[in-house]
Amino acid sequence: MQIDLESVFSGYSGKREEIIPILQDAQEKLNYLPKEAMRKIAKFVRVPESSVYAIATFYAQFRFKPMGKNHVMVCRGTACHVNGATRVLEEVEEQLGISEGETREDMEYSLETVACIGACSLAPCMMINKDVEAKINKKKVAKIFSQGN
Amino acid sequence: MQVKLDALIEKSKIEWANLYSSKKTVILVGTATCGRSAGALDTINAIENFTNSNGIECEIIEVGCIGLCYAEPLVVIYSEDKPGVCYGEVDEKKVKTILKAHLIDHNPMQKYSLGTFGDEKVEGFPVLFNEPVLKYQVRRALAKCGIIDPTKLEHYLSFGGYEGLKNAFEIGPEKVIETVKDSGLRGRGGAGFPTWRKWQFCHDSDSDQKYLICNADEGDPGAFMNRALLEGDPHALLEGMIISGYALGASTGYIYCRAEYPLALERLHLSIEQAKDIGLLGSNILDSGFDFNIKIKEGAGAFVCGEETALIASIEGYRGMPRPRPPFPAVKGLWGKPTIINNVESLACVSLILKNGAEWFSEVGTESSTGTKTIALVGKIKNTGLVEVPLGTTLEDLVFKVGGGIPNGKKFKAVQTGGPSGGCVPLELLNTPVDYDSLNSVGTIMGSGGVVVMDEDTCMVDFARFFLDFAEKESCGKCVPCRLGTKQMLDILEDIVNGKGKIEDIKLLEDLSEGIISGSLCGLGQTAPNPVKTTLKYFREEYEAHIIDKKCPSKVCKELIHYWIDPELCVGCRVCLGSCPGGAITGDVKVVHVINDNLCTKCGMCYEVCPPKIDAIEIIPGSSVRVV
Ligand SMILES: Cc1cc2nc3c(=O)[nH]c(=O)nc-3n(C[C@H](O)[C@H](O)[C@H](O)COP(=O)(O)O)c2cc1C
Ligand code: FES
């Protein structure tokens, strides 16, 4: 695969402190961080590739496999946990046919859990792409995904 | 520049006054993340459609979160000469009914209203700010959230915005620090360290470059105070940062904000541009000779980056791992330069202190914990949302007066403060005041202000396991006590909730806790055992029930409960039988159904589908079959 990150690099000067923002921008552009991109980023900031991996693997935000078209993030924060997030996650897994951390083969959905989306007062919550779904229960989960499927 | 700002302030104040004195209808809609998740944007669409098609001239203002999140989407309507009325849970469908009644029939609807907004009374409506949820609050940091449009600098200015900064420039850096000292402000991000003292260190150090960092990482899962402030009143933070930068002699400020807060980030970017345009950021701010710029850094999803030295490492472009202190960041921080890290709320308080004075600030609160604290009230509580109370308010008042108590007639069990670093407080200790020292004395911490309420259905062992799971995942792995200790504690807790616990485990958990607390490098490890320690102290009988009786009294832990169909109640409707994914239920039409425990996976489906009128399925603590 030929990967072009020039548009990302043009906003930076190649300093070490820019690695994380560059990784963020590259992932935004490419949907994930393929090997080729990691190599190019390492070259651009002039640090060993292993160091770029060391940083990228430390932070939960970065992924090294492509993600599905829809990114489903079920919150497993405290407020959501107390309000039944475990059951919600089970139901989402059931509906999508994948487990936490997986992407469906048809590339329609990826499922992840997150620590908190900040809508704790309307727990339990999940986020689908940029939209927050609040006060969800098994029924609501079934409804949401039966439309999209 | 000063002249330009003064002119804008003058203009803003007039426009604000005109807005509410004109005949025009004004509608406020809460569109912070909480409002949006409840559907506020659809509500706005519906309002626009209605007013357009009925030829009603109206101004819709998108405001931040006023904290009554349980009733989102919130809409406040000011029509012609009537005072504002606040409506709750206004989804798309209700818009038409409410607007027709209020704007066309001139008859505000009591049914959906929470009360009047402002001091004026309307027959039959309560005054919203006299309702218990707001009456016991003292809203200072949050005073403008839910009132102003956070995307408009003019709104912030019309409420005295940037007056604190002007005062700061008048009195000079030393006096600013003195004012903050006199106010008694302690850090709102966790440890409660006196803000002035850090500042003094940094101010006194001789360096060509100093940095200010605002910690907006808000990693405590279940807390969103900073998010609400950033989304609802972003200039309050910017003003506090400029004042702080001025006091420290720093020319660059960073805001380290978590990427999970896209709306807050958007608001911050916009506000920074607005501030630059009017000369509040950049060089020679308001002709004071002081230069200051603010940059935003997005966090990349690591809880430990809330810790000061880890946060610095992350900004520098490294793995976010803490380093031993001293040297403290105030001496040697970002790129080796003196650096001050303050929480969002601490900095927002600074603008208020400089505007209203130290004495005003310490009028409320206790002697050692002055001022107010914003608190995210969540979990099993009626009024979930964001509140601000004087420090020293008791947990009891917070939960039962402001929070409205426990919903669904359930019994209160415990309240967790301080997130993963804090502990549980049981019913007997509910008279504990919410201040730094009192919370410490009962084994928990203030933390950043997350308060999670639990009712009788929460299993305390599972809850402790939840936090240890979090700590274990978020441990950066640098020091052994935290990396391996949290893993060991988690394994033991997993055993206990799965019915494999041994009585010696309790002692082992206690020993491990001590080791991790005393041996860990940073605050993450040093506080990670707190949830276990406090639940062992106050809820030991629940641990014993799991270990000795193999029962989960709160009916949460799957391995330690079973489902049972009451033959007296079961009518044989086949609903549960058909829904059971494991084929564990036998019976027939009008023949009592029975669950085969050997096949049951405890998914709870039968319990959920059994018609409420019949309600024949019970969850029973203990894994054995109940003998009737
Ligand atoms: C693991 C860990 C996570 C933290 N997370 C946060 C956070 O999300 N927000 C915050 O303001 N402080 C957090 N803190 C506390 C900060 O390290 C620091 O004490 C605080 O930001 C200082 O600001 P203040 O004096 O204004 O409270 C955390 C500390 C630790 C040890
Ligand atoms: S705990 Fe789920 S949104 Fe905060």
Side-chain angles (χ1 to χ4, degrees):
Chain A
M1 190 168 38
Q2 196 56 32
I3 284 170
D4 184 10
L5 285 176
E6 283 318 309
S7 61
V8 171
F9 295 153
S10 66
Y12 297 94
S13 57
K15 284 199 246 149
R16 160 134 212 154
E17 72 208 65
E18 294 169 348
I19 296 182
I20 296 171
I22 291 174
L23 288 167
Q24 284 168 331
D25 288 357
Q27 176 163 293
E28 174 87 25
K29 183 177 157 142
L30 305 170
N31 160 337
Y32 73 112
L33 295 169
K35 271 190 189 150
E36 176 72 17
M38 296 295 278
R39 201 169 304 141
K40 288 199 159 145
I41 293 170
K43 215 167 158 191
F44 179 69
V45 291
R46 292 183 302 278
V47 301
E49 213 175 311
S50 59
S51 301
V52 181
Y53 271 101
I55 295 163
T57 53
F58 183 84
Y59 296 96
Q61 190 184 13
F62 301 116
R63 10 167 227 278
F64 307 95
K65 279 194 225 132
M67 200 182 47
K69 216 160 73 193
N70 297 294
H71 190 188
V72 182
M73 285 161 282
V74 177
C75 175
R76 56 168 180 84
T78 318
C80 291
H81 178 77
V82 171
N83 281 301
T86 318
R87 304 218 146 190
V88 167
L89 178 62
E90 281 169 7
E91 183 64 21
V92 176
E93 289 181 330
E94 169 98 25
Q95 288 288 333
L96 295 181
I98 46 175
S99 301
E100 177 198 344
E102 293 180 349
T103 297
R104 221 158 71 173
E105 252 169 50
D106 63 4
M107 295 307 284
E108 279 296 312
Y109 288 100
S110 286
L111 176 59
E112 274 175 17
T113 57
V114 289
C116 175
I117 30 196
C120 327
S121 45
L122 302 168
C125 312
M126 67 176 167
M127 211 156 152
I128 303 176
N129 303 322
K130 297 227 154 160
D131 295 327
V132 178
E133 297 283 344
K135 291 190 188 168
I136 43 177
N137 48 34
K138 280 192 168 190
K139 252 194 224 144
K140 224 165 155 181
V141 170
K143 207 175 128 202
I144 292 167
F145 292 113
S146 63
Q147 291 165 352
N149 265 349
Chain B
M1 276 304 179
Q2 175 87 50
V3 181
K4 208 167 137 194
L5 179 70
D6 286 342
L8 188 64
I9 292 177
E10 204 49 43
K11 185 169 147 259
S12 304
K13 286 193 170 154
I14 294 170
E15 276 176 7
W16 182 267
N18 284 347
L19 182 64
Y20 284 94
S21 60
S22 74
K23 285 267 171 202
K24 198 155 82 177
T25 297
V26 178
I27 299 180
L28 313 182
V29 185
T31 56
T33 295
C34 36
R36 289 179 185 210
S37 352
L41 297 182
D42 294 332
T43 301
I44 293 190
N45 271 338
I47 295 176
E48 277 170 351
N49 285 343
F50 184 89
T51 49
N52 285 343
S53 57
N54 287 282
I56 297 169
E57 199 198 335
C58 107
E59 176 148 349
I60 299 174
I61 302 181
E62 291 191 31
V63 295
C65 170
I66 196 161
L68 311 175
C69 309
Y70 61 96
E72 295 278 7
L74 283 171
V75 172
V76 180
I77 304 178
Y78 288 89
S79 62
E80 291 177 26
D81 37 37
K82 286 202 180 65
V85 174
C86 179
Y87 295 97
E89 297 182 51
V90 188
D91 53 25
E92 260 176 299
K93 287 179 222 132
K94 283 192 200 137
V95 166
K96 211 165 144 188
T97 324
I98 294 173
L99 290 193
K100 179 169 177 298
H102 197 130
L103 296 179
I104 295 184
D105 305 340
H106 301 284
N107 196 5
M109 282 191 88
Q110 231 169 323
K111 191 169 148 197
Y112 298 131
S113 133
L114 300 174
T116 55
F117 212 67
D119 302 328
E120 288 160 275
K121 293 207 170 67
V122 178
E123 181 68 26
F125 288 81
V127 175
L128 184 59
F129 283 84
N130 285 343
E131 292 292 282
V133 63
L134 284 162
K135 189 165 106 183
Y136 299 101
Q137 294 194 42
V138 175
R139 296 176 71 85
R140 289 175 159 188
L142 299 176
K144 296 185 281 306
C145 289
I147 311 286
I148 62 166
D149 179 345
T151 63
K152 293 212 164 81
L153 170 62
E154 291 83 351
H155 283 193
Y156 182 67
L157 292 177
S158 66
F159 277 83
Y162 289 102
E163 267 172 31
L165 178 65
K166 285 201 266 177
N167 293 341
F169 285 154
E170 237 158 69
I171 60 179
E174 290 76 19
K175 280 261 161 48
V176 170
I177 297 181
E178 209 175 300
T179 309
V180 173
K181 179 180 179 183
D182 293 343
S183 75
L185 174 66
R186 294 171 67 172
R188 300 298 196 236
F193 193 80
T195 302
W196 75 272
R197 198 172 292 158
K198 299 207 266 205
W199 286 18
Q200 191 76 51
F201 269 125
C202 184
H203 171 84
D204 292 347
S205 67
D206 191 22
S207 174
D208 56 334
Q209 181 63 271
K210 295 175 191 176
Y211 295 102
L212 168 70
I213 300 173
C214 166
N215 191 343
D217 200 37
E218 196 152 68
D220 171 3
F224 55 94
M225 305 74 48
N226 292 171
R227 170 185 68 68
L229 195 57
L230 294 172
E231 288 176 356
D233 194 9
H235 279 286
L237 170 66
L238 299 194
E239 181 177 357
M241 284 186 75
I242 305 168
I243 296 172
S244 166
Y246 176 64
L248 303 172
S251 59
T252 306
Y254 285 92
I255 301 175
Y256 189 87
C257 181
R258 62 195 318 227
E260 290 89 337
Y261 287 173
L263 186 61
L265 282 161
E266 184 188 314
R267 296 273 152 89
L268 285 172
H269 280 289
L270 177 69
S271 310
I272 290 176
E273 286 313 311
Q274 291 168 340
K276 272 188 200 158
D277 280 349
I278 192 85
L280 287 164
L281 285 173
S283 49
N284 191 19
I285 297 170
L286 303 184
D287 308 318
S288 63
F290 171 61
D291 307 337
F292 194 66
N293 283 299
I294 296 179
K295 295 180 188 163
I296 296 177
K297 284 276 177 181
E298 276 185 39
F303 172 65
V304 70
C305 286
E307 197 279 339
E308 303 197 347
T309 57
L311 194 160
I312 289 173
S314 176
I315 293 185
E316 289 175 350
Y318 293 89
R319 290 162 74 96
M321 288 169 136
R323 61 156 176 78
R325 302 179 304 175
F328 287 94
V331 180
K332 208 162 179 245
L334 191 59
W335 291 298
K337 304 289 181 190
T339 302
I340 287 300
I341 298 172
N342 272 130
N343 171 263
V344 175
E345 189 183 339
S346 313
L347 290 163
C349 286
V350 167
S351 6
L352 294 176
I353 292 168
L354 267 294
K355 173 169 172 255
N356 299 312
E359 217 166 280
W360 168 85
F361 187 80
S362 56
E363 257 166 27
V364 299
T366 69
E367 191 144 335
S368 61
S369 304
T370 55
T372 56
K373 179 78 195 78
T374 60
I375 284 171
L377 262 183
V378 297
K380 302 293 181 70
I381 186 155
K382 274 190 196 144
N383 305 338
T384 54
L386 185 70
V387 304
E388 182 173 358
V389 292
L391 283 163
T393 304
T394 62
L395 282 171
E396 185 168 4
D397 284 351
L398 188 63
V399 172
F400 289 95
K401 285 187 175 160
V402 181
I406 316 298
N408 309 322
K410 299 274 182 179
K411 278 210 285 290
F412 171 91
K413 186 183 266 182
V415 47
Q416 165 94 10
T417 71
S421 310
C424 285
V425 182
L427 185 66
E428 309 85 83
L429 291 173
L430 264 191
N431 58 359
T432 309
V434 179
D435 65 61
Y436 298 96
D437 313 305
S438 308
L439 288 174
N440 284 348
S441 73
V442 296
T444 180
I445 60 164
M446 170 84 77
S448 55
V451 168
V452 186
V453 180
M454 286 156 275
D455 68 4
E456 55 190 297
D457 292 343
T458 314
C459 168
M460 301 312 286
V461 185
D462 173 68
F463 193 63
R465 183 203 57 80
F466 165 81
F467 278 123
L468 254 293
D469 180 54
F470 180 80
E472 191 262 345
K473 286 201 174 85
E474 296 295 338
S475 169
C476 79
K478 182 164 176 173
C479 73
V480 179
C482 175
R483 180 180 73 232
L484 298 182
T486 54
K487 171 85 177 105
Q488 291 307 319
M489 284 184 83
L490 177 63
D491 284 350
I492 295 170
L493 289 163
E494 298 272 0
D495 277 350
I496 298 177
V497 299
N498 285 322
K500 296 182 203 135
K502 299 185 286 292
I503 195 68
E504 313 84 88
D505 287 346
I506 293 186
K507 174 82 175 36
L508 197 52
L509 282 175
E510 283 168 338
D511 290 349
L512 277 167
S513 296
E514 291 318 314
I516 297 170
I517 289 171
S518 57
S520 293
L521 173 61
C522 87
L524 196 159
Q526 287 159 8
T527 58
N530 282 347
V532 178
K533 263 184 82 175
T534 49
T535 47
L536 273 173
K537 185 163 166 198
Y538 302 122
F539 297 94
R540 186 176 282 259
E541 69 287 353
E542 288 201 22
Y543 282 83
E544 289 167 353
H546 282 71
I547 296 172
I548 303 169
D549 310 333
K550 304 291 175 204
K551 281 182 181 169
C552 174
S554 316
K555 309 175 196 177
V556 171
C557 304
K558 271 191 182 175
E559 297 302 322
L560 301 177
I561 54 164
H562 68 278
Y563 288 81
W564 178 70
I565 302 177
D566 188 337
E568 303 283 322
L569 297 176
C570 177
V571 295
C573 70
R574 288 188 56 97
V575 168
C576 64
L577 200 154
S579 78
C580 177
I585 303 178
T586 50
D588 213 329
V589 183
K590 300 216 174 137
V591 176
V592 167
H593 300 353
V594 178
I595 300 174
N596 179 347
D597 280 303
N598 291 327
L599 293 176
C600 175
T601 61
K602 321 241 171 89
C603 71
M605 196 50 122
C606 55
Y607 184 75
E608 242 163 75
V609 296
C610 182
K613 260 189 267 160
I614 297 165
D615 196 19
I617 303 184
E618 255 184 75
I619 306 176
I620 296 173
S623 61
S624 57
V625 185
R626 173 164 150 164
V627 189
V628 244

